[in-house]
Amino acid sequence: MIPIANPIFAKNTSKYLNECLKTGWVSSKGPFVERFERKFATYVGTKYAVSCTSGTAALHLSLVALNVGPGDEVITTAFTMISPVFAILYTGATPVLLDVDHMTWNMDVSQIEKKITKKTKAIIVVHIYGHPADMDPIMALAKKYNLFVVEDGAEALGSEYKGRKIGSIGHVSCFSFYANKLITTGEGGMVVTSNKNIAGTLGSLRDMAHSPRKRFIHMQLAFNYRMTNFQAALGLAQLEIVEKLLVKKRRIAYYYTQFLKHQEGLQLPAELSWAKNSYWMYAVLVKKSPKISKSVLQAALADKHIGTRDFFVPMHQQPALLSLGLFKNDRYPVAEDISKRGMYLPSGPHINRSEIKTVCDIIQHQYERV
Ligand SMILES: *Cc1c(COP(=O)(O)O)cnc(C)c1O
C-alpha cells in the first residue's frame, strides 16, 4: 500500500516531547513556543513569527490584525483549499475571486487589477501545491492601490520566488502544520511578518488581548489561538530537518518527472524559471482524451492500493459559500477545468524510487492498453 502522504518525525522529537512532560510545561507558556517561533522566522527570513492553533487560525489572525472587517473586500484565488475564503468571511469582509494560470494553477495576476475597487483592502496569495505565485506584479499593485498582501504558504514552506523564500515577500504570511504539510505539529499554524506593530497585534490577538499592565483586563475582542508547548516541541524538531524534507520532496518530484515526462497524456507540475517549487504534492493534470480519463487512472491505482487525491473544488462551486449567496453566477473556467482533470500522486516523504516507478508503470500501462 502506498498512501498519499505520511509524516516523518525527526530524531529529536521524543527528546523534546519528554522535556515538556518532565518540566510540566504542557500548555502554551513554555520555552519551545518561543524557540520554534524564533527558528521559524529565521528560516523564512522575517523578523517575527507568531505561532497559533492552525493555518486557518493564522489566516484569521492576519486579517484581523490588518483591520480587515465588514465592508472590506479581499481578493483571493478561486482555486485553493477553502481556508483563506473562510478566514475572510470570519471577519465579515467579502471574498472576491480570481481565476488561475493554467501552468502554475496560482492566481492569474493579469486579472487582479480589474477586481480592485474602493473597498479592496487586501490580497491573499495562495502558493498552490508548492509552486510560488508571481509576487512582483502582486506587490506592485498592492503598492499602487495601498493594499495589504497576505501570503498563504501552507503548501509551500521552503519554496522560493526569485531566490527569496515565500512568506518573506508579503506584509504578513501564514503557514499550516497539519500532518500532511512539509513540517507538522499535529495541528498548528504560524504567522510571520517583519512589521513590529503587526507582530505585536498578532501576539495579543492570539492570546485574548490581555492588557500588558494587568492580565485579565482585555483590550479588544480577541481569540485563544495559542499553540501548546507540546506542538511547538514537535515543530522545532521538524524544523531542524526541514531542509532534508525539502530535498526528499524535490527528489520525489524528480523521479516522477523522469518516469512520466514522455507520457503525453499528462501535464506535469511546473517549475517556472524564477521559481523553486517545494513540490508539496506531485500534482498532474490528465489531458482531455476520449480514451482515458482521470477516474480510469485513479481506479487502476486504487486497485493496487495506491492513494491519489482529486484537486480542490473551486470556491465558486462550494456548497458552504453558495449557501451564503456568494459567487452565484461567477465562472472561473481554468479553475473549473483543472479541478476536474487534476489529481495528486503519493508524495509522502517515505516513498522511495521503486514505489514511484510502480505508480508510474501502472499509469503508463493504462495508456498503453487503449
Ligand atoms: C492546509 C491549508 C490551510 C489550512 O491549514 P489548517 O492548519 O488545516 O487550518 C490553509 N491554506 C492552504 C492553502 C492549505 O493547504
Side-chain angles (χ1 to χ4, degrees):
M1 171 168 171
I2 308 179
I4 190 81
N6 47 358
I8 265 183
F9 293 111
K11 255 208 323 274
N12 278 336
T13 304
S14 39
K15 181 178 146 206
Y16 291 173
L17 290 175
N18 272 320
E19 249 175 83
C20 297
L21 291 174
K22 264 190 288 184
T23 58
W25 286 112
V26 292
S27 285
S28 58
K29 306 281 182 320
F32 282 114
V33 176
E34 228 186 280
R35 282 174 68 186
F36 181 39
E37 289 175 341
R38 236 181 298 128
K39 195 171 173 73
F40 195 88
T42 305
Y43 178 70
V44 173
T46 56
K47 285 197 186 137
Y48 310 98
V50 177
S51 60
C52 60
T53 48
S54 70
T56 310
L59 288 159
H60 186 198
L61 277 177
S62 301
L63 295 176
V64 177
L66 298 173
N67 269 318
V68 172
D72 296 330
E73 291 175 0
V74 179
I75 294 173
T76 192
T77 167
F79 184 68
T80 175
M81 189 259 168
I82 205 165
S83 291
V85 177
F86 272 1
I88 295 164
L89 292 167
Y90 297 158
T91 69
T94 303
V96 173
L97 302 179
L98 282 177
D99 206 354
V100 295
D101 171 74
H102 70 280
M103 286 295 293
T104 65
W105 315 321
N106 283 317
M107 64 169 51
D108 179 350
V109 295
S110 71
Q111 296 189 31
I112 297 176
E113 196 157 18
K114 64 183 181 214
K115 297 268 181 169
I116 295 174
T117 71
K118 287 207 157 51
K119 294 179 178 172
T120 309
K121 188 93 176 248
I123 302 172
I124 302 183
V125 183
V126 181
H127 306 288
I128 207 82
Y129 300 145
H131 196 291
D134 191 2
M135 292 304 293
D136 279 349
I138 296 170
M139 297 312 292
L141 283 171
K143 192 161 184 198
K144 180 171 169 193
Y145 292 98
N146 200 19
L147 310 174
F148 289 113
V149 173
V150 177
E151 290 180 73
D152 180 344
E155 301 179 3
L157 181 61
S159 294
E160 290 175 16
Y161 176 74
K162 300 187 178 171
R164 297 169 69 187
K165 285 235 168 53
I166 66 96
S168 67
I169 304 165
H171 301 96
V172 177
S173 302
C174 300
F175 293 90
S176 161
F177 308 124
Y178 181 67
N180 67 11
K181 301 292 160 78
L182 187 67
I183 67 169
T184 185
T185 61
E187 300 282 354
M190 191 77 83
V191 190
V192 299
T193 181
S194 289
N195 181 304
K196 191 175 181 190
N197 288 333
I198 295 174
T201 308
L202 287 165
S204 171
L205 284 170
R206 138 188 92 173
D207 184 19
M208 309 302 275
H210 291 278
S211 161
R213 295 223 187 83
K214 192 166 162 59
R215 280 183 71 73
F216 298 102
I217 302 291
H218 304 272
M219 305 309 285
Q220 68 181 104
L221 183 65
F223 313 94
N224 172 3
Y225 281 165
R226 298 185 301 263
M227 176 178 277
T228 66
N229 201 41
F230 263 125
Q231 291 167 307
L234 188 50
L236 182 67
Q238 295 290 104
L239 192 54
E240 287 169 355
I241 61 162
V242 66
E243 284 304 333
K244 225 166 89 183
L245 293 171
L246 209 53
V247 166
K248 272 183 196 291
K249 287 282 190 189
R250 289 182 58 81
R251 194 178 301 140
I252 290 166
Y254 174 79
Y255 290 142
Y256 271 123
T257 300
Q258 288 306 305
F259 295 134
L260 293 174
K261 68 183 174 195
H262 300 299
Q263 180 44 260
E264 286 178 1
L266 299 177
Q267 179 183 322
L268 305 183
E271 187 173 51
L272 298 190
S273 59
W274 41 255
K276 179 178 175 185
N277 191 337
S278 69
Y279 295 106
W280 173 60
M281 290 288 168
Y282 195 83
V284 299
L285 285 187
V286 181
K287 289 192 188 158
K288 289 190 192 99
S289 138
K291 292 193 204 128
I292 207 155
S293 66
K294 180 173 78 167
S295 55
V296 168
L297 295 178
Q298 287 180 309
L301 290 164
D303 198 47
K304 298 282 196 295
H305 308 286
I306 294 166
T308 59
R309 269 292 190 295
D310 282 331
F311 269 28
F312 297 124
V313 170
M315 295 303 100
H316 64 296
Q317 298 179 332
Q318 291 286 351
L321 304 175
L322 291 167
S323 74
L324 293 173
L326 292 161
F327 317 135
K328 238 184 236 137
N329 297 309
D330 287 18
R331 294 302 304 274
Y332 302 98
V334 182
E336 288 169 27
D337 177 48
I338 64 172
S339 164
K340 279 191 248 147
R341 296 191 292 115
M343 63 173 173
Y344 31 103
L345 301 174
S347 306
H350 288 286
I351 194 170
N352 61 35
R353 185 178 181 277
S354 90
E355 288 171 319
I356 294 170
K357 179 141 196 328
T358 303
V359 173
C360 298
D361 284 346
I362 294 168
I363 293 173
Q364 300 286 22
H365 180 68
Q366 290 304 309
Y367 279 99
E368 281 155 18
R369 264 169 19 116
V370 294

